[in-house]
Amino acid sequence: MDEMVAVELLSTHGLTRQYGGLVAVDNVNFKLYQDRIHAIIGPNGAGKTTLVSLICGRTTPSSGRISFKGNDITGLSSAKRVQAGIVYTFQVTSIFSNLSCYENVALSVQRNLRVQQKRTSLLGKWSMVSEADIEQAVSKYLHEVGLEGVENQIAGTLPYGHQKLLEVAMSLAAGPKLLILDEPTQGLAEAEIENLTQLIREISKSVNVLLIEHNMEVVFNLAEQVTVMDNGSILAEGTPAEIENNHAVQASYLGN
Ligand code: ATP
């Protein structure tokens, strides 16, 4: 993709998170561009999850700043960041295993509609959300992830791969502008990985996607931009082809 037309979506400036003497994220300047599937890779303990936890507000930085769509969001609560459109799968989608699939997605839909309603009521408009609106939205999101006919099934009884899809449906129902997926393919079978890869590609047509992923085949298949982390820092950044040919990355991570 042409560097000239890249529009910045999110950036971090000198972002640092220490745990005692350990610097999990060390002075990181990270950039995400609109409309590019972005993957963060790196060995265990490199700081990937800490970086996205800082981005979504689950963890507070020791120092540094984060901006999203040109606004400084460093001081915003994680709930406010969800409202701003930064949705981290694990944050909003811990499935309620005893509730039905319908109820799980409906909770997410209702939360999002309530936020939207607050906005429109500030503009002097007010509209009731009907059960029919919620039903329609739930069907839409379940359909989007390819989970139909499971509405009445108890979420905890779904096969693991389908629970992951339910999580994605719940995340979509939160109305993300940036969807962060932390190791989405972990624990999935080959066919499920292919299916999820296709789904992420589809989602990325309307939502910006950032994923942490260990499966290199998925990364090289899906990502348009890759950041390699090592030891709390960014070791390399670029297109998948650039990363594959980067000597430092080969030496430290890809192992060939
Ligand atoms: P993995 O691929 O294994 O998930 P990661 O790249 O996501 O690893 P992080 O989970 O961000 O790495 O961890 C980075 C470092 O920070 C590790 O050394 C980890 O032990 C440490 N760390 C993360 N969270 C905490 C915490 N809450 N308290 C103390 N140390 C932590």
Side-chain angles (χ1 to χ4, degrees):
M1 216 177 281
D2 188 351
E3 272 305 316
M4 298 299 287
V5 296
V7 178
E8 189 181 297
L9 178 70
L10 178 141
S11 56
T12 75
H13 311 271
L15 198 63
T16 298
R17 172 68 210 205
Q18 283 176 260
Y19 291 108
L22 182 118
V23 191
V25 167
D26 191 359
N27 196 24
V28 163
N29 298 315
F30 172 73
K31 272 193 191 345
L32 271 185
Y33 297 100
Q34 297 243 26
D35 305 323
R36 287 188 188 179
I37 301 180
H38 195 127
I40 305 179
I41 64 172
N44 291 334
K48 305 179 296 295
T49 297
T50 306
L51 177 61
V52 298
S53 297
L54 289 164
I55 288 173
C56 72
R58 226 166 56 143
T59 304
T60 44
S62 308
S63 58
R65 290 185 6 259
I66 307 166
S67 70
F68 180 61
K69 291 177 162 268
N71 300 313
D72 192 315
I73 59 160
T74 319
L76 286 190
S77 67
S78 63
K80 282 271 186 302
R81 290 187 211 195
V82 173
Q83 289 176 20
I86 300 177
V87 174
Y88 182 29
T89 331
F90 285 165
Q91 192 178 20
V92 282
T93 60
S94 325
I95 288 177
F96 297 100
S97 348
N98 297 328
L99 297 184
S100 71
C101 294
Y102 177 87
E103 287 165 329
N104 268 285
V105 182
L107 282 173
S108 221
V109 166
Q110 279 168 320
R111 211 180 301 143
N112 189 34
L113 287 176
R114 235 178 283 130
V115 171
Q116 282 179 15
Q117 231 176 24
K118 256 192 215 154
R119 269 191 212 127
T120 48
S121 67
L122 287 175
L123 296 171
K125 297 177 204 154
W126 185 256
S127 65
M128 286 299 288
V129 179
S130 70
E131 188 63 32
D133 291 337
I134 295 171
E135 256 173 52
Q136 202 180 11
V138 172
S139 315
K140 177 179 127 173
Y141 294 119
L142 285 174
H143 175 76
E144 260 179 57
V145 302
L147 270 185
E148 276 132 343
V150 298
E151 282 81 351
N152 295 324
Q153 200 168 332
I154 297 300
T157 66
L158 285 179
Y160 180 68
H162 287 185
Q163 290 192 19
K164 286 256 183 176
L165 294 175
L166 184 62
E167 284 184 354
V168 175
M170 291 168 73
S171 297
L172 291 176
K177 295 192 174 73
L178 170 62
L179 179 64
I180 305 176
L181 302 162
D182 197 343
E183 300 193 29
T185 67
Q186 195 188 29
L188 296 185
E190 198 55 45
E192 292 173 322
I193 292 176
E194 264 171 46
N195 179 32
L196 188 62
T197 303
Q198 189 49 38
L199 174 62
I200 294 171
R201 195 173 287 123
E202 212 44 51
I203 290 171
S204 74
K205 290 177 185 162
S206 52
V207 177
N208 295 287
V209 173
L210 168 64
L211 64 148
I212 295 179
E213 185 55 69
H214 281 288
N215 183 325
M216 284 306 121
E217 208 181 315
V218 171
V219 169
F220 289 117
N221 236 323
L222 204 54
E224 292 150 294
Q225 190 79 15
V226 179
T227 296
V228 187
M229 286 192 77
D230 192 18
N231 232 339
S233 299
I234 294 178
L235 177 69
E237 281 176 303
T239 62
E242 286 164 349
I243 295 303
E244 227 172 348
N245 295 317
N246 182 303
H247 294 301
V249 178
Q250 284 174 3
S252 91
Y253 184 54
L254 295 177
N256 48 21

